[in-house]
Amino acid sequence: MAFDTAALLYINSLFIVLSILPLAINTRPGFQKGLTILYFITNLLAYATNFVDIIYYRFSQVRSTKATLDVLADENNKKALFKHFSGAYWYVIIIFILCSLCWIWLYSRVKIKPNPGRKPASYFYSSVAAFLIVLALVIGGIRGDFSHSTRPINMIDAYKHVIIPNQGDIVLNTPFAIFRTLSANNFKLEHWTDQNYINANIKPVKQYNNTPAVKPNVVVIILESMAREYWGSMNRGANIPDFKSYTPFLDSLSDNSLIFTNAYANGRQSIHAMSSILAGIPSFQTAFTSSPYAKQQIQSLVSVCDTMGYQTSFFHGAANGSMGFQGFGNILGFKNYYGRTEYNNDRDFDGIWGIWDEPFFQFMGKTLNTQKQPFMATLFTLSSHDPDQIPEKYKARFKGGPLTIDKCVQYTDNSLRLFFNYAKTQPWFNNTIFVITADHTSQTYYPEYSKAINRFAVPILFYSANKAYALKGVRTDLASQMDIYPSIVDMIGYNKPFRSWGRSLITNSPDETPRVINSPGNIYQFMQGNYIYLFDGKVFTGIFAAADKGLEKNLMGGKIDSEMDKAMLDCKALIQDYTDRIVNGKLKR
């Protein structure tokens, strides 16, 4: 109720002020009509965001915030998306309309009668008194209570009322989440430890000494929504009852690849994955890519490859500029961008997002044939995405499973198979390192993947036909998207210092501690060693065993051992260095 009250007061602050100001006209029909229009424009707009989250939450697993609005702002096909979602989820719109009509009817039952006979002096003084009382109540409602020491409640406060952390979103409401993040700045400088500790334990500046005989080509493939849950090869030891794989090609490729079956995303959305994978920069409560700090010069896989003479290209079959990829790609320094415009054949347009994966994979393969080696290319797929549709010619072949996305996973997996069949015939294939991962997770079917930590569970695969790279095996140590950047830098033989909060998964040095950090939107989730830690930016609110992916048994009430103490300081040190480098423009290195 505290969060609902705060949201209602945010939304209705102007309505309340206009209702209680000592105006002689405030009971007249014209004034009341204006107030009614104001009331329903503000309230129904905010009310609608809760209905949006009825659907969107199942994909994002977090209440919508300003970051969600930022992602929407980067979309060029808003009209097509609105048309699709209106058709696919019509029943939610109907429920919203019925609830709104009921609300309007109830409002109309309250009659305000004109009162021209009021004495000006008594009316003015009583109105001022009422104004002050209402103002105090509004302030208390927005703050959460009337205690002197209370700051305005925010999203983190919701977690005080639940045992399992991801249930905090039930306490919250979407208008509150949006209002409280409109001007939020989570890039606040902290000083929990000194730079010597950071350098020794976080190692934000790294240097590797690999010397390949020939510079390899690099192809990074980021699969839209292709969670670890859908891959058979990533679940062979998971003991999930009645598990079914939807990735036969990727499973066969895994047999000749180095795969990581305990890997996680460092963000919740596609643009977060781009910065995590290509620049090793995760996104937490506030998306780095949506912040003003994203415009600074950034050392990344792209800039490193550029200094080594690589031709760099980014491929995404959606409208150019969609998802913010082109803008951020320009910041990173990609020499070439290939989108729907460059593909230039809308016969392969899926009608919603962009070019189907199969033809766009082939387009990338043929484009790479024209580029000078060595090259570094990144492809971001799009077909495995709501509305979960596949080309007509494949509907009889790919039947999917219990989730609507399953058939799309089968289609994209087959698109990869056809791409690799083509690539094998090209002269650049044998000297190319392929890295395949997902941007984030999506729909879940198996209870194991509905657990809070596994909502970030993604696959990571390294493959090369060149056996000199020894990319084969199954690893179960912690890994994340931001480990991909230093791993590739290591393999291509970049021997200078560079900035990275991840580690090379190839060298696998004992000096670099395996760890994962991400955020479901309101808190930090930090994994290191034998435990999972929850940190709200001020205090640690939970410690859980590494196997407790559902965060069911909080160990905070027990003994805090030396491993826990160090991990908690490491978590703070990483966040401290992350914020310092972002705010003070130190991402060049």
Side-chain angles (χ1 to χ4, degrees):
M1 291 298 292
F3 296 94
D4 292 345
T5 299
L8 286 167
L9 293 172
Y10 277 126
I11 296 162
N12 290 286
S13 55
L14 181 58
F15 173 82
I16 292 170
V17 168
L18 292 176
S19 296
I20 61 177
L21 282 177
L23 302 173
I25 61 171
N26 63 5
T27 60
R28 293 179 185 174
F31 187 87
Q32 284 297 314
K33 184 177 181 180
L35 275 184
T36 301
I37 293 171
L38 169 66
Y39 179 82
F40 282 111
I41 287 177
T42 52
N43 278 282
L44 293 184
L45 184 62
Y47 192 43
T49 64
N50 277 314
F51 285 83
V52 169
D53 267 354
I54 291 173
I55 301 301
Y56 188 61
Y57 186 85
R58 68 184 67 172
F59 302 102
S60 67
Q61 291 293 302
V62 66
R63 285 277 183 181
S64 293
T65 63
K66 180 179 180 294
T68 310
L69 303 180
D70 292 335
V71 170
L72 180 62
D74 287 328
E75 279 302 331
N76 293 336
N77 59 338
K78 296 182 184 69
K79 185 176 180 181
L81 291 176
F82 178 79
K83 182 178 179 181
H84 156 66
F85 287 114
S86 298
Y89 303 112
W90 58 269
Y91 52 90
V92 175
I93 297 176
I94 294 298
I95 296 171
F96 168 70
I97 291 173
L98 291 175
C99 289
S100 298
L101 290 174
C102 180
W103 191 349
I104 293 169
W105 178 79
L106 288 169
Y107 184 97
S108 69
R109 302 286 293 172
V110 179
K111 304 297 183 182
I112 304 295
K113 297 179 180 179
N115 187 7
R118 292 174 293 191
K119 296 180 179 180
S122 61
Y123 172 61
F124 176 79
Y125 290 122
S126 63
S127 294
V128 169
F131 180 84
L132 294 174
I133 293 170
V134 170
L135 180 63
L137 292 173
V138 168
I139 292 173
I142 289 176
R143 288 171 61 88
D145 63 35
F146 293 93
S147 299
H148 176 72
S149 60
T150 302
R151 55 177 170 76
I153 57 172
N154 57 32
M155 294 173 69
I156 289 174
D157 292 307
Y159 293 84
K160 297 187 297 186
H161 306 287
V162 299
I163 297 173
I164 299 175
N166 61 355
Q167 292 177 349
D169 284 313
I170 300 172
V171 176
L172 294 166
N173 62 80
T174 303
F176 179 87
I178 292 174
F179 273 106
R180 293 301 290 138
T181 56
L182 282 175
S183 59
N185 176 20
N186 293 106
F187 299 101
K188 296 178 181 177
L189 296 174
E190 304 284 0
H191 190 78
W192 290 304
T193 187
D194 57 38
Q195 194 62 43
N196 289 333
Y197 185 91
I198 292 172
N199 293 341
N201 293 276
I202 305 304
K203 302 184 188 303
V205 177
K206 296 175 172 59
Q207 184 172 2
Y208 301 115
N209 297 302
N210 203 344
T211 53
V214 180
K215 293 177 186 176
N217 303 308
V218 176
V219 175
V220 179
I221 300 174
I222 306 172
L223 301 174
E224 173 64 51
S225 302
M226 195 77 83
R228 197 202 308 159
E229 175 175 1
Y230 314 137
W231 291 41
S233 58
M234 297 287 166
N235 290 280
R236 286 172 179 159
N239 298 317
I240 297 175
D242 302 318
F243 180 84
K244 182 179 178 181
S245 172
Y246 298 96
T247 56
F249 170 72
L250 285 167
D251 294 344
S252 64
L253 186 68
S254 296
D255 293 335
N256 297 290
S257 303
L258 177 62
I259 66 172
F260 292 82
T261 61
N262 193 25
Y264 300 87
N266 296 113
R268 307 178 307 279
Q269 297 172 338
S270 298
I271 189 64
H272 303 172
M274 187 176 175
S275 64
S276 298
I277 294 166
L278 299 178
I281 304 174
S283 287
F284 302 127
Q285 289 94 326
T286 301
F288 164 73
T289 48
S290 301
S291 73
Y293 304 111
K295 299 178 178 63
Q296 63 184 286
Q297 188 177 347
I298 300 170
Q299 187 179 40
S300 67
L301 179 58
V302 184
S303 66
V304 167
C305 285
D306 185 54
T307 64
M308 297 179 68
Y310 278 72
Q311 182 83 344
T312 58
S313 303
F314 188 87
F315 294 82
H316 185 230
N320 291 35
S322 177
M323 308 294 288
F325 291 159
Q326 188 171 21
F328 191 61
N330 288 339
I331 291 172
L332 295 182
F334 277 107
K335 293 293 188 290
N336 306 293
Y337 185 92
Y338 298 95
R340 181 178 163 194
T341 300
E342 289 72 24
Y343 186 82
N344 196 28
N345 184 359
D346 272 359
R347 287 180 298 179
D348 296 323
F349 176 49
D350 66 9
I352 297 290
W353 291 108
I355 308 302
W356 294 110
D357 282 351
E358 180 185 334
F360 202 74
F361 266 118
Q362 298 297 314
F363 169 72
M364 180 180 75
K366 293 172 182 176
T367 302
L368 292 180
N369 289 341
T370 67
Q371 296 189 349
K372 180 183 177 183
Q373 299 186 57
F375 56 74
M376 192 286 285
T378 299
L379 170 67
F380 211 121
T381 70
L382 56 73
S383 292
S384 47
H385 196 297
D386 187 277
D388 300 326
Q389 58 188 13
I390 59 176
E392 190 68 34
K393 67 178 181 178
Y394 284 116
K395 288 183 177 179
R397 178 176 173 185
F398 300 132
K399 296 294 187 180
L403 301 176
T404 57
I405 197 175
D406 291 339
K407 62 181 180 293
C408 303
V409 172
Q410 291 174 317
Y411 168 71
T412 298
D413 179 76
N414 187 64
S415 301
L416 274 164
R417 179 182 65 83
L418 296 174
F419 167 72
F420 271 84
N421 286 346
Y422 172 81
K424 288 175 184 176
T425 66
Q426 305 309 308
W428 46 264
F429 179 77
N430 286 331
N431 190 41
T432 299
I433 295 171
F434 294 90
V435 184
I436 303 177
T437 187
D439 56 345
H440 51 69
T441 62
S442 184
Q443 305 166 29
T444 63
Y445 176 70
Y446 301 106
E448 179 65 22
Y449 284 100
S450 293
K451 295 177 179 178
I453 296 301
N454 281 342
R455 290 301 299 162
F456 289 83
V458 296
I460 295 179
L461 176 151
F462 292 85
Y463 168 81
S464 179
N466 189 338
K467 298 188 184 304
Y469 296 111
L471 297 175
K472 190 172 182 179
V474 179
R475 295 260 298 275
T476 59
D477 47 323
L478 282 172
S480 72
Q481 290 170 334
M482 66 181 185
D483 295 325
I484 292 173
Y485 163 41
S487 299
I488 296 174
V489 168
D490 184 11
M491 286 188 288
I492 64 177
Y494 185 74
N495 301 138
K496 298 177 182 178
F498 69 101
R499 173 205 50 79
S500 170
W501 293 294
R503 65 185 179 105
S504 172
L505 300 172
I506 308 305
T507 296
N508 196 25
S509 169
D511 293 333
E512 294 182 315
T513 303
R515 59 172 63 98
V516 172
I517 187 168
N518 51 41
S519 172
N522 310 310
I523 54 175
Y524 298 95
Q525 294 179 159
F526 183 75
M527 290 178 268
Q528 181 172 297
N530 295 306
Y531 300 101
I532 300 166
Y533 305 84
L534 301 185
F535 181 54
D536 69 6
K538 294 184 180 295
V539 297
F540 284 88
T541 60
I543 301 176
F544 304 84
D548 185 5
K549 299 295 194 295
L551 306 180
E552 296 176 354
K553 186 178 180 181
N554 196 337
L555 305 176
M556 282 290 290
K559 180 181 178 182
I560 304 300
D561 60 29
S562 58
E563 178 187 349
M564 295 174 181
D565 274 332
K566 183 180 186 306
M568 288 190 283
L569 185 54
D570 285 352
C571 175
K572 288 182 173 181
L574 195 159
I575 296 168
Q576 177 179 320
D577 191 68
Y578 168 87
T579 307
D580 173 48
R581 290 180 183 275
I582 287 175
V583 172
N584 292 317
K586 300 178 183 178
L587 295 178
K588 291 184 289 186
R589 202 185 103 195

